[in-house]
Amino acid sequence: QVQLVESGGGLVQAGGSLRLSCAASGRIVSGDTMGWFRQAPGKERDFVAAISWNGGSTRYADSISGRFTISRDNAKNTVYLQMNSLKYEDTAVYYCAADPMVLGGTWYMRPSGYGYWGQGTQVTVSS
């Protein structure tokens, strides 16, 4: 079993930055693909970013447009999402996810592709 705990969310003004963290426990996830998703009120859970087990490959949603960076520290069993130039439309609950599948194809963009999820952290961007 894997437990994922997100932190780092909060209220920020448009144009500001936040760094989200996702700490894993219960099982070492250094071999897992890790992903970030977000869900705004009344909307579906959308893919944000994913990173391969060794950090060598990353994928991003087109809507991110180079503003976010996903990274991981396997020694700390933690994945990060650095969010810069935040916009009002980035407001959502951000979720961390993990799965042992190798990053590739398109599965990583679907919530159903991941077996483990955190509880989410709220990010609110004021305009």
Side-chain angles (χ1 to χ4, degrees):
Q1 282 288 4
V2 176
Q3 292 79 45
L4 303 174
V5 179
E6 302 95 334
S7 61
L11 174 64
V12 63
Q13 289 187 333
S17 298
L18 282 175
R19 189 195 194 200
L20 305 183
S21 298
C22 172
S25 62
R27 175 175 69 78
I28 301 299
V29 295
S30 59
D32 287 20
T33 294
M34 304 292 292
W36 285 98
F37 286 73
R38 66 186 182 184
Q39 189 167 19
K43 296 188 177 182
E44 295 183 347
R45 191 169 297 190
D46 291 331
F47 169 73
V48 174
I51 188 167
S52 62
W53 70 275
N54 64 352
S57 295
T58 57
R59 302 288 189 274
Y60 296 95
D62 291 341
S63 60
I64 303 306
S65 300
R67 298 182 295 120
F68 295 1
T69 302
I70 188 171
S71 61
R72 66 190 297 165
D73 185 340
N74 284 344
K76 297 181 178 179
N77 233 19
T78 300
V79 64
Y80 306 97
L81 185 68
Q82 177 67 43
M83 305 187 296
N84 299 327
S85 302
L86 283 162
K87 304 176 181 180
Y88 174 76
E89 50 265 40
D90 293 320
T91 296
V93 177
Y94 283 71
Y95 296 90
C96 172
D99 199 88
M101 283 189 65
V102 175
L103 180 62
T106 60
W107 71 266
Y108 62 89
M109 299 178 67
R110 299 187 293 270
S112 61
Y114 294 82
Y116 304 97
W117 290 87
Q119 83 291 346
T121 185
Q122 176 71 47
V123 172
T124 302
V125 183
S126 62
S127 58

